[in-house]
Amino acid sequence: MSHPPAEIGAREAALEALLAFYVDAGVDLALDEAPHDRFAEPDRPQPRGEQARPAPAPSEPRQPAAPAFAAAASADETALAACATARGATSLDELREALAAFDGCALKATAKNLVFADGTPGARVMLVGEAPGREEDIQGKPFVGRSGQLLDRMLSAIGLDRGSVYIANIVPWRPPGNRTPTPQEAAICRPFIERQIELCDPDVLVCLGGPSAQALLGVREGILRTRGKWFDYETGRRTIRALATLHPAYLLRQPAQKRLAWRDLRALRKVLDETAGAARS
């Protein structure tokens, strides 16, 4: 039975609208190749008194499950490979190339682009967030969506812009659906961001949000308890002053907390002015 062209066109338009809704909602990955009908009627229970037929014996004996330590050993090997790859880079350009060729993190397979950094290498201030979002994945640059626009305004309030800072993330690939990176994913990527900080060699490191502060500063408290505090970050060559503050995405959800972020920005500006004065004298 053929359908009129108008009906076919209406169906295609409805499908396109549905797909656009999924993309806007952050759903951009199918977990299975074949669709599943979640509304299908489940198997009916057997009536009482009717004995269930015994399951047929398997034709081949089942293979024993792999020991749990095998997966752990594989994860450790991947982490060691990440460390070796990151340490082998002698410049930010080499680190970017090494990260683009690194296949140890599964997020690379689902992301569109590597989101390495933005801003000026060697800037006095380096800001580190958690992971890219949809807009960042599309453009290949960190903090270009709504939270990035707010970050630009925050920097402008203390006389900074993207040309005077360097911006990166703990994880350089977007997790599917903007989910939180798993501890294993963050651990695999951490050697790269640590080497990135070392090669950028800023005077001040700013951790945007709790996950960034926990990964780089080793804190265990929430960001509301950590923000505004100064820490020492060791690069192996020197000690860098580090500040934890609220992530712009959090401020978009909780605008009333912008007053706390403003205090942190003023503290950052004060330290930059003091260190600049000390360098001139």
Side-chain angles (χ1 to χ4, degrees):
M1 177 180 179
S2 60
H3 298 278
E7 182 178 348
I8 296 176
R11 290 184 178 182
E12 291 179 350
L15 287 174
E16 290 179 358
L18 179 61
L19 289 174
F21 168 78
Y22 284 148
V23 171
D24 292 339
V27 180
D28 59 358
L29 178 68
L31 298 181
D32 294 317
E33 294 182 357
H36 296 275
D37 186 359
R38 305 297 183 186
F39 297 97
E41 188 173 331
D43 296 336
R44 295 179 179 179
Q46 293 181 341
R48 293 182 180 180
E50 182 178 344
Q51 295 182 352
R53 295 179 181 178
S59 57
E60 296 181 0
R62 295 183 179 180
Q63 297 294 331
F69 65 81
S74 177
D76 290 341
E77 291 174 359
T78 303
L80 290 174
C83 290
T85 303
R87 298 306 304 176
T90 60
S91 67
L92 288 171
D93 289 337
E94 289 184 8
L95 184 64
R96 181 184 188 119
E97 293 176 1
L99 193 53
F102 182 73
D103 294 326
C105 182
L107 294 177
K108 179 182 178 181
T110 58
K112 291 182 176 64
N113 288 299
L114 169 69
V115 182
F116 184 70
D118 195 15
T120 301
R124 297 186 62 201
V125 179
M126 181 173 178
L127 303 102
V128 180
E130 181 183 16
R134 178 174 179 269
E135 291 299 322
E136 289 77 12
D137 186 32
I138 293 174
Q139 300 187 34
K141 291 183 178 181
F143 287 93
V144 293
R146 289 185 61 212
S147 61
Q149 296 169 10
L150 177 56
L151 179 61
D152 289 341
R153 295 194 294 270
M154 293 167 63
L155 294 173
S156 177
I158 57 171
L160 299 176
D161 56 28
R162 286 182 181 250
S164 57
V165 300
Y166 187 73
I167 311 173
N169 281 305
I170 298 291
V171 175
W173 293 287
R174 180 201 179 195
N178 287 358
R179 65 164 172 78
T180 301
T182 66
Q184 182 178 352
E185 291 164 350
I188 291 174
C189 296
R190 189 166 59 193
F192 293 100
I193 187 61
E194 290 176 344
R195 184 61 172 159
Q196 200 169 357
I197 295 171
E198 183 179 353
L199 292 172
C200 182
D201 196 28
D203 292 331
V204 179
L205 174 67
V206 179
C207 295
L208 298 172
S212 175
Q214 291 169 3
L216 296 177
L217 306 180
V219 297
R220 292 293 175 263
E221 295 179 322
I223 188 59
L224 289 177
R225 290 182 176 271
T226 307
R227 57 138 297 272
K229 297 180 180 179
W230 288 96
F231 299 85
D232 289 337
Y233 180 84
E234 301 291 341
T235 67
R237 294 190 299 178
R238 72 183 183 109
T239 301
I240 296 176
R241 299 195 68 181
L243 175 69
T245 190
L246 303 174
H247 195 286
Y250 173 80
L251 297 176
L252 289 174
R253 299 191 300 268
Q254 302 289 339
Q257 303 289 28
K258 289 182 180 179
R259 57 186 178 85
L260 299 178
W262 174 237
R263 296 177 188 173
D264 300 340
L265 291 173
R266 291 175 59 188
L268 171 61
R269 182 72 265 178
K270 181 179 179 181
V271 166
L272 291 175
D273 293 339
E274 290 175 351
T275 54
R280 286 193 297 267
S281 61

